[in-house]
mmCIF file of all heavy atoms in Angstrom:
data_model
loop_
_atom_site.group_PDB
_atom_site.id
_atom_site.type_symbol
_atom_site.label_atom_id
_atom_site.label_comp_id
_atom_site.label_asym_id
_atom_site.label_seq_id
_atom_site.Cartn_x
_atom_site.Cartn_y
_atom_site.Cartn_z
ATOM 1 N N GLU A 216 -1.354 22.620 -28.443
ATOM 2 C CA GLU A 216 -0.376 22.626 -29.532
ATOM 3 C C GLU A 216 0.880 21.847 -29.146
ATOM 4 O O GLU A 216 1.439 21.105 -29.960
ATOM 5 C CB GLU A 216 -0.025 24.069 -29.907
ATOM 6 C CG GLU A 216 -1.186 24.825 -30.536
ATOM 7 C CD GLU A 216 -0.849 26.252 -30.899
ATOM 8 O OE1 GLU A 216 0.135 26.793 -30.339
ATOM 9 O OE2 GLU A 216 -1.566 26.848 -31.725
ATOM 10 N N MET A 217 1.337 22.004 -27.902
ATOM 11 C CA MET A 217 2.530 21.299 -27.443
ATOM 12 C C MET A 217 2.312 19.794 -27.435
ATOM 13 O O MET A 217 3.161 19.021 -27.915
ATOM 14 C CB MET A 217 2.929 21.781 -26.045
ATOM 15 C CG MET A 217 4.207 21.158 -25.506
ATOM 16 S SD MET A 217 4.446 21.465 -23.732
ATOM 17 C CE MET A 217 3.263 20.293 -23.044
ATOM 18 N N ALA A 218 1.174 19.346 -26.886
ATOM 19 C CA ALA A 218 0.899 17.907 -26.805
ATOM 20 C C ALA A 218 0.826 17.285 -28.192
ATOM 21 O O ALA A 218 1.420 16.227 -28.454
ATOM 22 C CB ALA A 218 -0.401 17.665 -26.041
ATOM 23 N N LEU A 219 0.094 17.932 -29.103
ATOM 24 C CA LEU A 219 -0.041 17.389 -30.452
ATOM 25 C C LEU A 219 1.284 17.436 -31.213
ATOM 26 O O LEU A 219 1.637 16.490 -31.922
ATOM 27 C CB LEU A 219 -1.118 18.161 -31.209
ATOM 28 C CG LEU A 219 -2.556 17.975 -30.716
ATOM 29 C CD1 LEU A 219 -3.501 18.914 -31.459
ATOM 30 C CD2 LEU A 219 -3.011 16.528 -30.895
ATOM 31 N N SER A 220 2.024 18.529 -31.063
ATOM 32 C CA SER A 220 3.308 18.660 -31.762
ATOM 33 C C SER A 220 4.287 17.601 -31.292
ATOM 34 O O SER A 220 4.996 16.976 -32.092
ATOM 35 C CB SER A 220 3.894 20.054 -31.537
ATOM 36 O OG SER A 220 3.060 21.060 -32.060
ATOM 37 N N ARG A 221 4.337 17.387 -29.986
ATOM 38 C CA ARG A 221 5.279 16.425 -29.426
ATOM 39 C C ARG A 221 4.931 15.001 -29.868
ATOM 40 O O ARG A 221 5.807 14.210 -30.202
ATOM 41 C CB ARG A 221 5.277 16.534 -27.898
ATOM 42 C CG ARG A 221 6.354 15.718 -27.220
ATOM 43 C CD ARG A 221 6.278 15.895 -25.715
ATOM 44 N NE ARG A 221 6.562 17.264 -25.307
ATOM 45 C CZ ARG A 221 6.491 17.686 -24.051
ATOM 46 N NH1 ARG A 221 6.107 16.847 -23.089
ATOM 47 N NH2 ARG A 221 6.779 18.923 -23.740
ATOM 48 N N HIS A 222 3.642 14.693 -29.889
ATOM 49 C CA HIS A 222 3.231 13.341 -30.285
ATOM 50 C C HIS A 222 3.430 13.100 -31.779
ATOM 51 O O HIS A 222 3.871 12.022 -32.187
ATOM 52 C CB HIS A 222 1.769 13.117 -29.920
ATOM 53 C CG HIS A 222 1.242 11.766 -30.316
ATOM 54 N ND1 HIS A 222 1.639 10.596 -29.706
ATOM 55 C CD2 HIS A 222 0.372 11.394 -31.295
ATOM 56 C CE1 HIS A 222 1.033 9.564 -30.258
ATOM 57 N NE2 HIS A 222 0.264 10.015 -31.235
ATOM 58 N N ALA A 223 3.111 14.107 -32.580
ATOM 59 C CA ALA A 223 3.161 13.932 -34.030
ATOM 60 C C ALA A 223 4.548 14.183 -34.615
ATOM 61 O O ALA A 223 4.828 13.778 -35.749
ATOM 62 C CB ALA A 223 2.148 14.858 -34.705
ATOM 63 N N GLY A 224 5.406 14.864 -33.857
ATOM 64 C CA GLY A 224 6.731 15.166 -34.359
ATOM 65 C C GLY A 224 6.754 16.271 -35.394
ATOM 66 O O GLY A 224 7.672 16.343 -36.212
ATOM 67 N N THR A 225 5.761 17.152 -35.357
ATOM 68 C CA THR A 225 5.704 18.288 -36.271
ATOM 69 C C THR A 225 4.980 19.428 -35.588
ATOM 70 O O THR A 225 4.207 19.213 -34.653
ATOM 71 C CB THR A 225 4.976 17.907 -37.581
ATOM 72 O OG1 THR A 225 5.082 18.978 -38.518
ATOM 73 C CG2 THR A 225 3.502 17.618 -37.331
ATOM 74 N N ASP A 226 5.224 20.645 -36.015
ATOM 75 C CA ASP A 226 4.573 21.800 -35.403
ATOM 76 C C ASP A 226 3.082 21.804 -35.717
ATOM 77 O O ASP A 226 2.678 21.668 -36.878
ATOM 78 C CB ASP A 226 5.195 23.104 -35.901
ATOM 79 C CG ASP A 226 6.604 23.314 -35.372
ATOM 80 O OD1 ASP A 226 6.937 22.696 -34.347
ATOM 81 O OD2 ASP A 226 7.359 24.082 -35.988
ATOM 82 N N VAL A 227 2.278 21.987 -34.680
ATOM 83 C CA VAL A 227 0.827 21.991 -34.825
ATOM 84 C C VAL A 227 0.288 23.355 -34.385
ATOM 85 O O VAL A 227 0.743 23.924 -33.390
ATOM 86 C CB VAL A 227 0.182 20.877 -33.982
ATOM 87 C CG1 VAL A 227 -1.341 20.973 -34.013
ATOM 88 C CG2 VAL A 227 0.636 19.506 -34.471
#
Side-chain angles (χ1 to χ4, degrees):
E216 293 180 340
M217 183 193 76
L219 292 174
S220 298
R221 188 180 295 176
H222 179 70
T225 187
D226 290 339
V227 174

